[in-house]
Amino acid sequence: MEQIHLQLPLDRTTVLSLKAGDLLSLTGVLYTARDAAHKRLIAALDQSEPLPLELSGQTIYYAGPCPGRPGLPVGSAGPTTSGRMDAYAPRLIEQGLVGMIGKGARSPAVIAAMQQHGAIYLGATGGAGALLAQRIKKAEVIAYDDLGAEAIRRLEVEDFPVVVLIDTQGNNLYESGPAAWALPVASEPGAGVK
């Protein structure tokens, strides 16, 4: 399958056109935020306070990059488990968030919000944080500096590789992928075996 090269931030038409299983190469700006930052974003919304970033049309990468060696913007920058953000994600999707990058399955509430508001869930390869960091050209903390690695960062990425795990229609690679490889269930011993 050929990679689709996309510029960030993503526009709504592009987001709606993507399908589970599409391989993407992202270039442009995205933001990092993990559960501690998500909790603060929701608290700000609850208090009707302005958010430290405009969420409309943006993509959040569930990562807390390690500090970089001299001359490098970040160290290892692999995805964290997305389920830790499931309690917060629907509210941020309502605010206009269109893309989330992480690893692991999402809750039915997140998938419903994605379908309702037109958002996608993208997967980055877990365990490949050092390789993914090579695609990050610039990083700067924009909020919650006291959270250290979990502060919200603005990243400039180039050819950042991801796969569409769940699309705006709710098609889910975590379901369709294993189903495509499932063996037929035999009704008798030896049935279906050739």
Side-chain angles (χ1 to χ4, degrees):
M1 180 179 282
E2 193 170 318
Q3 274 192 331
I4 302 169
H5 294 268
L6 296 176
Q7 189 70 36
L8 295 167
L10 298 171
D11 64 74
R12 183 70 59 184
T13 302
T14 299
V15 170
L16 293 172
S17 73
L18 297 171
K19 301 295 176 213
D22 286 347
L23 301 176
L24 310 180
S25 177
L26 305 177
T27 298
V29 172
L30 55 80
Y31 296 88
T32 65
R34 290 176 42 146
D35 39 324
H38 275 70
K39 184 175 182 178
R40 289 191 185 178
L41 291 171
I42 297 303
L45 290 173
D46 287 345
Q47 298 298 318
S48 299
E49 296 173 356
L51 297 179
L53 71 153
E54 173 56 50
L55 286 176
S56 185
Q58 297 300 333
T59 298
I60 290 181
Y61 182 27
Y62 300 148
C66 296
R69 293 186 318 237
L72 296 177
V74 295
S76 183
T80 195
T81 303
S82 302
R84 292 167 41 197
M85 273 54 72
D86 280 2
Y88 314 111
R91 188 98 177 268
L92 300 184
I93 293 167
E94 289 173 10
Q95 297 296 313
L97 182 69
V98 296
M100 299 161 286
I101 303 172
K103 65 179 182 181
R106 303 310 300 266
S107 72
V110 173
I111 295 170
M114 291 169 56
Q115 290 176 280
Q116 181 179 355
H117 299 284
I120 55 173
Y121 173 48
L122 308 170
T125 304
L131 293 173
L132 291 169
Q134 294 174 10
R135 303 300 183 159
I136 299 170
K137 304 306 176 186
K138 186 176 179 185
E140 64 177 316
V141 173
I142 64 158
Y144 313 142
D145 189 39
D146 61 301
L147 294 178
E150 294 198 33
I152 296 180
R153 286 174 170 71
R154 179 186 184 275
L155 302 184
E156 291 181 19
V157 299
E158 186 176 315
D159 295 325
F160 194 86
V162 293
V163 62
V164 179
L165 294 174
I166 305 174
D167 62 30
T168 59
Q169 302 302 307
N171 299 308
N172 188 338
L173 201 58
Y174 282 112
E175 294 171 356
S176 62
W181 292 96
L183 297 174
V185 177
S187 57
E188 301 176 13
V193 178
K194 296 182 181 180

